[in-house]
Amino acid sequence: PAVDSRDESSDARFTFSIEVGMLEIYNDDVFDLLSPSGNKKSVDIRRDSEGRVGVPDMTKEKVNSLEDVLNLLAKGNKNRAVAATSLNEHSSRSHMVLNVQVTSTVEGEPPNKGNLFLVDLAGSERVLKSEVVGKALDEAKHINKSLAALGNVMEALDRKASHVPYRDSKLTHLLQDSLGGNSRTMMVVTVCPTSNSYDETQCALKFATRVRRINLGTAQRNVTSKNLEETVKNLTSEIKLLSKAKERSENQMHSLKRENERVQERLKQSAETRSKTHDEKRAMEVLRKSNAEMTTRWQKEKAKREEQVQDLENVQNELKQLQQKLRKVQREGEEFERKMQEKESEISKLTKEMRKAKEASSAANIRARKAQVMQSRIASPKSSSAPVPKLNHPSKLARPTSSRASNGKGTESSKAKKESSEGSSSDANVEEIRGKVLELLEKYDPKKVNKIDTIMERFKGREMSLMEKMEARYEGGSVADSTDDLTSGGASESGAGKSRSELALERHKKRLLQKKAKENSGGRGW
């Protein structure tokens, strides 16, 4: 049925629906009792996309009233396997599972589903008493086998075993989520009061006592923490403390068990001689009291141990969740570092482009300055006092006397030129000299074009001396011409316009030729 539930503060609409399915587990096979064809249909147990165990092919019908449910139960019971035995006229030969699925939703939100499993277990049989044979004997074997598998599952849950054998039977496999998942489980055990069924009644009551001790646990909490590392450390320390407490409780339990065994042995010994004296009877009473006290203590220690184990599991689960969150934070940090590296690479690229732009702008400034100097040279009249080139040092081939004379004259003339240049330099001459120096550098030494400002600053007030040095170095001055005249006639005219290194190479070649000629002439004379 669909029910409207409207709140005064919101207009949300609440609806729910109920579906009923009915299964039979016969000879360890699963059959659908509500098949549309009217006959039992074999179905399989599988896990769905959410990891839950169920029967996807099971027929489910919607019900709107109690009559619909009773009609479906009657329809399913008609298809159920029933036979007569020596103990029961209408003995069920299979297990029946009634699945009630409730789906509820609020308008605008995803639906919620809840499953209720009502299981009618077939009773265990002693073949000697039921006197079944043939097909009924096979049915009794499968019934006892599935009930034994259910008992093994209960025992594994009681021991908190790491592996629970749910797949040993179709019954336990189908009820896996109900027995070991996040669910509420209730079991009703029926017994027969007759003395003929005393063994079966005793076995059923022992089974019920073992099931009653099982604690399936509660739903886990989702815990959030601002400082994950500190929380992990705290939980780790708590786990260590709980482990130590667990070891102490286990040691105490072992000691209590040993004491209990010793007390039981003493009780047996006292039971053999209890009819001898009244003192022995009193000792028996004391032993019984001590046994009861130790049993009580043992039960309390066991309850404490179970609580500690449960706390330990909860802390471990919380630790796993916090570790997952910590890994997520670390992945986010790595992603942030990667993005920072990309931004740094982009910044380096932009820095390189900016440096190139600066170089281009400086080159443009140099070209503009050069153009300005050239224009000033064209606009300004030429200076009447042309700079006299400074004499270079004389060649090694020249005579000593001539070299001294030339040196003296060169020094006197250079001093005079310096004095005249320092006295008569002006802004127009400075710009003209700068333009000439720039032309010489571009022609003979382009690498030093960028250092024109440094050169002019170093020779500030001595611009004429700078011009003489530049012309003497790159174009060859009067001193070079005079030395060339002394060594080789009119070679100065042919060497005009050559660089200093080329002139030096030519002089070296001439010296080698002269030396070779002397050696040849000396050999002939010999």
Side-chain angles (χ1 to χ4, degrees):
V3 177
D4 286 340
S5 178
R6 296 183 181 274
D7 192 3
E8 294 179 357
S9 61
S10 63
D11 295 336
R13 185 171 178 270
F14 173 75
T15 59
F16 69 91
S17 61
I18 301 175
E19 294 179 344
V20 176
M22 201 169 178
L23 299 174
E24 180 187 35
I25 301 176
Y26 177 71
N27 287 345
D28 211 23
D29 289 326
V30 183
F31 296 95
D32 186 3
L33 297 178
L34 299 180
S35 177
S37 61
N39 297 324
K40 294 191 295 185
K41 181 181 71 173
S42 179
V43 290
D44 295 329
I45 302 173
R46 293 195 296 271
R47 284 187 178 273
D48 57 8
S49 59
E50 297 178 356
R52 298 174 182 173
V53 178
V55 182
D57 299 332
M58 179 177 59
T59 303
K60 295 181 181 179
E61 296 187 8
K62 288 187 177 181
V63 294
N64 297 321
S65 62
L66 181 60
E67 294 179 358
D68 296 341
V69 178
L70 295 176
N71 292 332
L72 291 177
L73 285 173
K75 180 180 177 181
N77 286 325
K78 288 180 181 178
N79 297 327
R80 191 176 178 187
V82 180
T85 63
S86 298
L87 296 176
N88 194 351
E89 183 178 358
H90 301 284
S91 175
S92 57
R93 313 308 295 166
S94 63
H95 307 295
M96 189 272 288
V97 180
L98 179 66
N99 177 221
V100 180
Q101 186 176 18
V102 180
T103 304
S104 63
T105 181
V106 178
E107 187 176 358
E109 295 183 2
N112 296 319
K113 292 183 179 181
N115 286 306
L116 173 64
F117 290 96
L118 299 175
V119 185
D120 179 18
L121 298 175
S124 61
E125 290 187 8
R126 291 186 181 272
V127 179
L128 295 177
K129 293 183 179 180
S130 61
E131 298 178 355
V132 293
V133 293
K135 181 181 178 181
L137 180 59
D138 294 336
E139 293 172 350
K141 290 179 180 179
H142 284 96
I143 290 171
N144 293 334
K145 179 183 176 183
S146 61
L147 292 176
L150 179 61
N152 293 334
V153 169
M154 293 298 179
E155 183 180 0
L157 291 174
D158 186 21
R159 292 186 292 104
K160 304 292 182 182
S162 59
H163 171 69
V164 181
Y166 290 112
R167 291 182 176 269
D168 288 356
S169 173
K170 292 291 180 67
L171 175 63
T172 55
H173 189 194
L174 179 61
L175 300 178
Q176 180 175 350
D177 291 339
S178 298
L179 295 175
N182 188 10
S183 61
R184 298 288 184 181
T185 306
M186 182 180 69
M187 180 178 291
V188 179
V189 179
T190 58
V191 296
C192 183
T194 61
S195 60
N196 190 27
S197 303
Y198 173 77
D199 294 334
E200 291 293 329
T201 300
Q202 187 180 16
C203 182
L205 291 175
K206 289 181 179 179
F207 179 74
T209 302
R210 184 169 56 183
V211 171
R212 185 175 61 85
R213 294 197 303 264
I214 297 174
N215 184 14
L216 297 180
T218 57
Q220 298 176 358
R221 294 182 302 167
N222 294 324
V223 179
T224 58
S225 178
K226 294 182 179 179
N227 194 338
L228 296 178
E229 294 182 356
E230 292 182 359
T231 307
V232 169
K233 291 179 181 179
N234 294 332
L235 292 174
T236 305
S237 61
E238 290 180 5
I239 289 172
K240 291 180 180 179
L241 293 175
L242 290 173
S243 300
K244 292 180 180 178
K246 180 182 175 182
E247 291 178 358
R248 288 196 298 269
S249 61
E250 287 180 352
N251 294 330
Q252 290 177 0
M253 286 182 63
H254 288 310
S255 62
L256 289 173
K257 285 182 179 178
R258 287 194 296 270
E259 291 178 2
N260 190 16
E261 290 176 356
R262 288 196 296 269
V263 169
Q264 293 293 338
E265 291 178 358
R266 292 178 65 182
L267 285 173
K268 290 179 181 179
Q269 294 175 1
S270 62
E272 294 176 355
T273 59
R274 61 185 175 181
S275 58
K276 291 183 179 179
T277 60
H278 180 68
D279 295 335
E280 291 179 354
K281 290 181 181 181
R282 291 177 63 185
M284 281 292 295
E285 290 177 358
V286 172
L287 289 174
R288 285 175 183 174
K289 288 181 181 180
S290 61
N291 186 22
E293 291 176 357
M294 282 188 289
T295 304
T296 304
R297 287 175 57 192
W298 180 76
Q299 290 177 353
K300 290 180 180 179
E301 292 294 333
K302 183 179 179 183
K304 289 182 181 179
R305 178 176 173 276
E306 291 176 353
E307 291 178 358
Q308 291 174 355
V309 169
Q310 185 63 34
D311 294 339
L312 181 61
E313 290 179 355
N314 293 335
V315 170
Q316 287 177 349
N317 293 329
E318 292 177 1
L319 180 61
K320 289 180 181 178
Q321 292 178 357
L322 292 175
Q323 287 176 349
Q324 292 176 357
K325 292 181 180 179
L326 183 60
R327 286 194 291 270
K328 183 179 178 181
V329 171
Q330 289 176 352
R331 288 195 296 270
E332 291 177 355
E334 293 175 356
E335 183 67 19
F336 180 74
E337 289 179 358
R338 184 182 64 78
K339 290 181 180 178
M340 287 293 293
Q341 291 177 0
E342 292 178 356
K343 294 295 182 181
E344 289 177 357
S345 63
E346 292 178 1
I347 291 171
S348 63
K349 290 180 181 178
L350 293 175
T351 305
K352 290 179 181 177
E353 293 177 358
M354 186 171 68
R355 190 179 294 119
K356 290 180 180 178
K358 285 184 179 179
E359 292 176 356
S361 65
S362 63
N365 291 332
I366 292 171
R367 288 195 296 272
R369 194 181 299 163
K370 179 181 177 183
Q372 183 179 3
V373 170
M374 294 298 294
Q375 288 177 0
S376 65
R377 288 178 62 187
I378 293 170
S380 63
K382 295 182 179 179
S383 176
S384 59
S385 61
V388 179
K390 186 179 179 180
L391 293 176
N392 292 331
H393 293 287
S395 174
K396 293 181 180 180
L397 297 175
R399 294 178 181 180
T401 57
S402 63
S403 65
R404 289 193 191 96
S406 63
N407 286 334
K409 293 178 181 179
T411 53
E412 293 176 358
S413 62
S414 63
K415 287 180 180 179
K417 289 177 182 179
K418 283 182 182 180
E419 291 175 356
S420 62
S421 63
E422 288 175 358
S424 63
S425 61
S426 63
D427 294 338
N429 291 335
V430 170
E431 294 296 332
E432 184 178 358
I433 291 169
R434 180 189 178 91
K436 290 181 179 180
V437 172
L438 187 62
E439 287 180 0
L440 290 173
L441 291 176
E442 288 179 349
K443 184 176 179 181
Y444 296 105
D445 199 354
K447 295 181 179 180
K448 296 183 178 180
V449 172
N450 295 331
K451 299 181 179 180
I452 183 66
D453 295 334
T454 307
I455 295 171
M456 295 301 295
E457 182 68 24
R458 184 181 299 173
F459 286 89
K460 186 175 181 180
R462 298 183 290 115
E463 287 81 3
M464 297 298 295
S465 176
L466 172 64
M467 190 65 201
E468 291 174 2
K469 288 183 179 181
M470 295 296 290
E471 289 179 351
R473 180 174 182 178
Y474 293 112
E475 293 184 349
S478 60
V479 179
D481 293 340
S482 63
T483 53
D484 290 339
D485 290 337
L486 290 173
T487 53
S488 60
S492 61
E493 296 179 357
S494 63
K498 294 183 180 180
S499 62
R500 188 175 180 182
S501 60
E502 291 176 352
L503 293 174
L505 181 62
E506 288 180 359
R507 289 196 296 271
H508 183 65
K509 287 181 179 180
K510 288 177 183 179
R511 285 196 298 271
L512 290 176
L513 290 173
Q514 290 177 0
K515 187 177 181 181
K516 190 174 181 181
K518 287 181 180 180
E519 290 176 356
N520 290 334
S521 62
R524 288 173 187 167
W526 177 260

